[in-house]
Amino acid sequence: MAHESTYVPGTGFERWVDKRLPVIRLGYDSFIDFPTPKNLNYWYTFGGILAIMLVVQIVTGVVLAMHYTAHVEHAFDSVEMIMRDVNYGWLMRYAHANGASMFFIAVYLHIARGLYYGSYKEPREILWGLGVVIFLLMMATAFMGYVLPWGQMSYWGATVITSLASAVPLVGDPIKTLLWGGFSVDNPTLNRFYALHYLMPFLIAGVVILHIWALHVPGNNNPSGVEVQTKKDTVPFHPYYTVKDGFAIVAFMILYAAFVFYMPNVLGHTDNYIGANPLVTPSHIVPEWYFLPFYAMLRAITFDIGIPFTDIVIINSKLGGVLVMLGSILILFVLPWLDRSRVRSMRYRPIAKWWLMIFFADVFLLGWLGGQVAEQPYILISQLATAYYFAYFLIILPVLSVTETPKPLPRSISEAVVADKAGSKKRKSPLGVTAGGTQPAPAE
Amino acid sequence: MMRRVLLTAGLAALPLLFAGNAHAAGGHPKEPIEHEWHSQGLFGSYDQRQLQRGYQVYRTVCSSCHSMKLVAFRHLGQPGGPYHLDACPEELGLADTVDCSDPAANPFVKAIAADFTITAGVDDSGDPLSRPGLPSDYFPSPYANQQQAMLANGGANPPDMSLLVKAREDGRNYIYSLITGYPGLPKGPAEIPEEITVPPGQYYNPYYHGDTLSLMKAEYLDEDGHLLPGVHAPDGGSFKMAPPLSQDCLVTYEDGTDCTVEQMAEDVVAFLQWAAEPELEQRKRMGGFVLLYLFAFAGIVYASYRQIWRNVEH
């Protein structure tokens, strides 16, 4: 651990354990006395929310697995049996299905927080990279989970996405056959997806432990982006952040419950209440909402890339789309080395901040485009939005690293907090004066 | 601080924006009618009388073509179901030991089930066995298989009705609009639009997710088959379901309710929604408690947060 252990075993039993396996000490140093910057705002609560969501997904998922049948003839009906005949089965299934959406809401906000406050920068590159690994595992898990009910969108989504493997030169078709376990999406596909869907959350849990370990070595970043200097900059994790995270978790649960109990199917697709039929293709195949930005980038590549003035194609449009979609996530791994600015927080980067805001808007735009039919003008807009997505990482951030003059940084977190308070007071005071000036400003 | 919480919560709800746009495609059906449903809203529940009427319509009209495979007779007697009983009706004179709240013992459910013939298992000589239905049986399908269903319906397979309301966009309103929206019916146009020719064995409906371009009469098209200037293709399309509720009082209600086409349509849609979401009442009731609990808990945790942080400048 990055800080001196302050754990003092209080009882004989604790001393006995501490000598043999200091697990209580580990827990105490990590989650009780861990020194945490005192200026973390609510954007920093999504880590805790994500941990809770992972547990909720595993618990509801294990219960669902007790009743689910992974066979193409029975999968759809067994899910409906859970909905209709298992005691509180509808609750388990709606909690699990909407839980996936909640998980992605939280992870996107968690990533956005990292991008805004520069949490990926030295010395947190490994912490960030592990986060990207978790994100990739989550996407794979969610995709395979969506296939399990074996509805129309399950089946056709699986067909579209697994077929992408065939875009890879030479080994593409063998990979596709391996994914399918045969020559089409069929029972073997469903079986292996089920096995992997059950396995991967535990892999995620393992990487989450590494992620927290990598967090606790350098300690938290914070909204000022300035490192902790003295004890005055920090508070112990418990009770300060257990209660703050606790409030955020309960507030998040309200949102979650609103979906589960009052609009459980809003985030899903109606076609998935029709059993899978390989002979009927849905008019419009779309993935779940959380994949839409990446789906838009996949479909944006409608052109082949080859040697100009010849017919030689090096990368056809299908492979290009796959590379762009994968690249859009893999690029996050190298982000710490693309953004060379020494200033972490966008609070002190007046230019980069606005480019990042455009980047966020761009991702929302891509999400919207992913749900539209693949025709003009959506294709052109998708191409422009995809171009901006990559330009932000590959051009804008590297250039700004050199050209941007950051605002002066506070000397410490405590100073940042004081400046913040003064700033928000200043912003508030003009409200006392009306436009006509007839009302005297309140004395301060 | 609360301002920031609200901002964060607002952002967290953003995916809702996407939820609506994932289904834009194909054809230009008319927007379904926004009907008032007993089960809508935070506290909406099923009207049991209406579910019973809806079942009557389903049994008399729909079930001759549409299966409802996921629903068992016993479901009719479960809490929230059309024939659920809290206690046995006295006029039936059942023994005190009978618990009518148990769907398997519910006299209505038993009678409904017995009305169907179920083919299940084999007799001692190995021949298929037919017997009257039991509460534990599922609704039998009108056709033995998909091929038979398609042959009997001009090549179209009538969809299973168990999940129909959830399997269609805005399902309640859509089905209500569709079955009352044929030409000549209360919510439909007076006549088939003059621009189109409806092929034999098909029926025009402005709410159907189809395409009327292929039905346009030649005089509205140019040589290349494009619409002439100023001509619009009518809403909807044509498909193979004849108007199921073509006139008033196809069903005579046992409870004396006025049997108009709109009433029958509303009732059967209410029943179909129950078939798709039998848990709706339990779900909303539990949701109320869960939200109350969470709001109270959030208040307590927020107060603790203020208390604990009161001396820390942050």
Side-chain angles (χ1 to χ4, degrees):
Chain A
M1 282 299 118
H3 67 109
E4 287 286 309
S5 178
T6 54
Y7 173 66
V8 182
T11 62
F13 174 73
E14 283 179 67
R15 277 191 294 279
W16 188 89
V17 172
D18 201 49
K19 260 191 170 168
R20 287 158 181 82
L21 180 71
V23 65
I24 304 176
R25 178 181 297 276
L26 177 70
Y28 184 87
D29 293 342
S30 306
F31 303 107
I32 307 284
D33 189 44
F34 188 72
T36 312
K38 63 182 183 177
N39 60 338
L40 301 188
N41 55 28
Y42 280 104
W43 295 102
Y44 282 78
T45 59
F46 287 100
I49 289 169
L50 284 161
I52 297 288
M53 285 315 301
L54 179 62
V55 173
V56 170
Q57 288 303 82
I58 289 178
V59 170
T60 53
V62 167
V63 175
L64 289 171
M66 293 172 187
H67 301 280
Y68 171 75
T69 309
H71 188 286
V72 292
E73 298 290 327
H74 306 296
F76 187 84
D77 287 353
S78 75
V79 170
E80 276 305 312
M81 189 271 294
I82 291 169
M83 293 294 290
R84 289 158 192 269
D85 290 338
V86 173
N87 290 330
Y88 300 105
W90 58 267
L91 177 60
M92 288 296 140
R93 172 159 181 260
Y94 279 155
H96 196 72
N98 287 287
S101 284
M102 294 298 122
F103 211 145
F104 275 95
I105 290 173
V107 88
Y108 283 133
L109 295 174
H110 191 64
I111 294 170
R113 190 285 321 273
L115 291 174
Y116 188 86
Y117 294 120
S119 304
Y120 47 85
K121 293 190 183 185
E122 189 273 321
R124 297 184 181 83
E125 299 95 327
I126 292 181
L127 168 60
W128 173 260
L130 288 168
V132 182
V133 171
I134 295 171
F135 181 45
L136 280 170
L137 287 171
M138 268 178 71
M139 294 178 99
T141 309
F143 165 65
M144 292 191 213
Y146 192 60
V147 175
L148 302 186
W150 210 244
Q152 274 289 67
M153 272 307 153
S154 300
Y155 177 86
W156 289 99
T159 304
V160 169
I161 300 301
T162 51
S163 297
L164 295 177
S166 68
V168 180
L170 301 174
V171 292
D173 276 317
I175 290 176
K176 188 174 74 177
T177 309
L178 188 67
L179 284 172
W180 284 351
F183 300 99
S184 66
V185 174
D186 206 338
N187 202 45
T189 325
L190 179 61
N191 272 297
R192 60 194 55 199
F193 277 23
Y194 181 45
L196 293 173
H197 182 71
Y198 205 121
L199 167 72
M200 291 182 113
F202 298 98
L203 299 183
I204 294 176
V207 186
V208 165
I209 290 171
L210 296 180
H211 191 63
I212 296 173
W213 185 9
L215 167 71
H216 283 186
V217 174
N220 290 77
N221 183 31
N222 66 82
S224 75
V226 178
E227 286 293 312
V228 168
Q229 270 138 31
T230 62
K231 253 190 110 145
K232 272 175 64 187
D233 291 340
T234 66
V235 288
F237 188 79
H238 180 75
Y240 291 93
Y241 283 106
T242 41
V243 75
K244 188 165 183 170
D245 281 357
F247 172 64
I249 288 165
V250 177
F252 193 78
M253 288 293 137
I254 291 174
L255 176 75
Y256 183 20
F259 276 104
V260 169
F261 293 103
Y262 293 101
M263 39 187 171
N265 295 307
V266 164
L267 298 172
H269 196 294
T270 47
D271 274 7
N272 228 26
Y273 279 111
I274 302 171
N277 185 349
L279 301 177
V280 178
T281 316
S283 58
H284 189 202
I285 302 173
V286 281
E288 290 278 85
W289 69 265
Y290 38 80
F291 291 139
L292 288 175
F294 304 100
Y295 192 57
M297 288 193 257
L298 170 77
R299 295 193 307 176
I301 309 305
T302 51
F303 45 85
D304 297 334
I305 298 163
I307 300 170
F309 312 115
T310 66
D311 288 339
I312 302 165
V313 173
I314 299 171
I315 298 173
N316 65 26
S317 59
K318 187 176 181 184
L319 179 59
V322 172
L323 290 176
V324 163
M325 183 173 70
L326 282 178
S328 66
I329 297 163
L330 297 182
I331 200 168
L332 295 173
F333 279 116
V334 291
L335 172 61
W337 295 276
L338 293 172
D339 180 7
R340 305 300 299 163
S341 169
R342 300 169 77 88
V343 177
R344 290 199 188 92
S345 174
M346 289 290 175
R347 281 189 182 177
Y348 306 103
R349 299 187 63 186
I351 301 169
K353 177 180 178 169
W354 293 110
W355 290 105
L356 178 60
M357 289 301 163
I358 297 170
F359 175 81
F360 289 150
D362 186 60
V363 173
F364 277 107
L365 176 65
L366 282 165
W368 178 73
L369 289 163
Q372 303 305 316
V373 285
E375 56 188 43
Q376 295 294 10
Y378 304 120
I379 295 172
L380 181 65
I381 306 173
S382 300
Q383 287 166 346
L384 294 174
T386 305
Y388 183 82
Y389 183 99
F390 283 94
Y392 176 75
F393 293 115
L394 293 173
I395 301 169
I396 295 168
L397 280 182
V399 168
L400 286 179
S401 309
V402 182
T403 60
E404 185 182 40
T405 314
K407 291 186 196 167
L409 287 180
R411 273 192 295 273
S412 69
I413 290 173
S414 298
E415 197 190 288
V417 168
V418 173
D420 234 29
K421 288 267 141 140
S424 70
K425 273 215 182 92
K426 216 190 272 171
R427 278 199 300 278
K428 271 175 196 160
S429 59
L431 289 176
V433 190
T434 58
T438 48
Q439 194 182 333
E444 280 195 70
Chain B
M1 193 53 76
M2 274 320 274
R3 196 172 54 89
R4 285 190 213 157
V5 177
L6 290 175
L7 173 74
T8 314
L11 280 170
L14 273 169
L16 274 178
L17 282 178
F18 293 140
N21 74 51
H23 323 288
H28 295 284
K30 204 170 164 187
E31 281 291 310
I33 300 157
E34 286 284 328
H35 193 74
E36 287 272 322
W37 298 99
H38 200 273
S39 56
Q40 75 190 28
L42 287 185
F43 302 103
S45 60
Y46 293 126
D47 171 359
Q48 199 183 25
R49 280 291 179 76
Q50 181 171 48
L51 295 186
Q52 292 176 5
R53 293 196 300 271
Y55 173 70
Q56 223 188 318
V57 179
Y58 169 75
R59 178 76 176 107
T60 320
V61 181
C62 316
S63 72
S64 52
C65 298
H66 290 272
S67 59
M68 195 167 63
K69 290 178 189 165
L70 300 170
V71 180
F73 299 117
R74 65 190 154 83
H75 291 142
L76 298 170
Q78 283 180 353
Y83 291 97
H84 174 70
L85 294 172
D86 289 323
C88 295
E90 282 186 19
E91 63 270 21
L92 294 181
L94 294 166
D96 286 349
T97 49
V98 178
D99 175 12
C100 288
S101 69
D102 173 4
N106 182 309
F108 296 111
V109 172
K110 284 163 84 172
I112 287 167
D115 205 23
F116 286 83
T117 305
I118 304 291
T119 309
V122 289
D123 63 13
D124 290 344
S125 50
D127 295 319
L129 193 65
S130 288
R131 56 167 175 77
L134 296 168
S136 57
D137 288 318
Y138 283 76
F139 274 87
S141 301
Y143 303 106
N145 49 54
Q146 192 185 321
Q147 284 73 8
Q148 206 186 74
M150 288 171 73
L151 186 68
N153 290 282
N157 186 23
D160 185 83
M161 281 192 152
S162 326
L163 285 166
L164 209 53
V165 168
K166 287 207 273 189
R168 298 290 182 275
E169 188 60 24
D170 193 14
R172 289 186 291 210
N173 289 325
Y174 170 68
I175 298 170
Y176 176 78
S177 306
L178 191 77
I179 55 184
T180 57
Y182 286 90
L185 290 186
K187 307 285 185 191
E191 285 169 13
I192 299 171
E194 56 170 11
E195 296 96 329
I196 58 170
T197 322
V198 179
Q202 297 207 15
Y203 304 87
Y204 168 75
N205 193 305
Y207 297 100
Y208 185 69
H209 285 247
D211 181 13
T212 50
L213 270 180
S214 56
L215 309 176
M216 296 298 288
K217 285 179 185 158
E219 64 248 44
Y220 296 99
L221 301 173
D222 63 16
E223 289 154 10
D224 302 325
H226 296 300
L227 291 176
L228 289 175
V231 175
H232 293 284
D235 292 333
S238 70
F239 66 136
K240 290 186 173 151
M241 181 170 76
L245 303 172
S246 52
Q247 59 193 55
D248 289 347
C249 297
L250 280 179
V251 178
T252 313
Y253 284 133
E254 286 158 13
D255 65 1
T257 304
D258 203 10
C259 46
T260 60
V261 168
E262 285 136 301
Q263 184 66 45
M264 292 188 292
E266 183 183 318
D267 292 346
V268 79
V269 170
F271 173 74
L272 290 178
Q273 198 197 349
W274 168 81
E277 298 189 289
E279 88 298 344
L280 177 138
E281 291 189 350
Q282 191 191 8
R283 170 159 60 77
K284 288 186 182 175
R285 207 175 321 120
M286 188 191 276
F289 286 116
V290 169
L291 283 183
L292 269 180
Y293 173 84
L294 285 175
F295 274 113
F297 191 31
I300 292 167
V301 181
Y302 188 69
S304 317
Y305 159 72
R306 295 298 296 256
Q307 170 75 8
I308 287 167
W309 281 79
R310 71 192 180 285
N311 293 326
V312 182
E313 197 164 15
H314 65 286

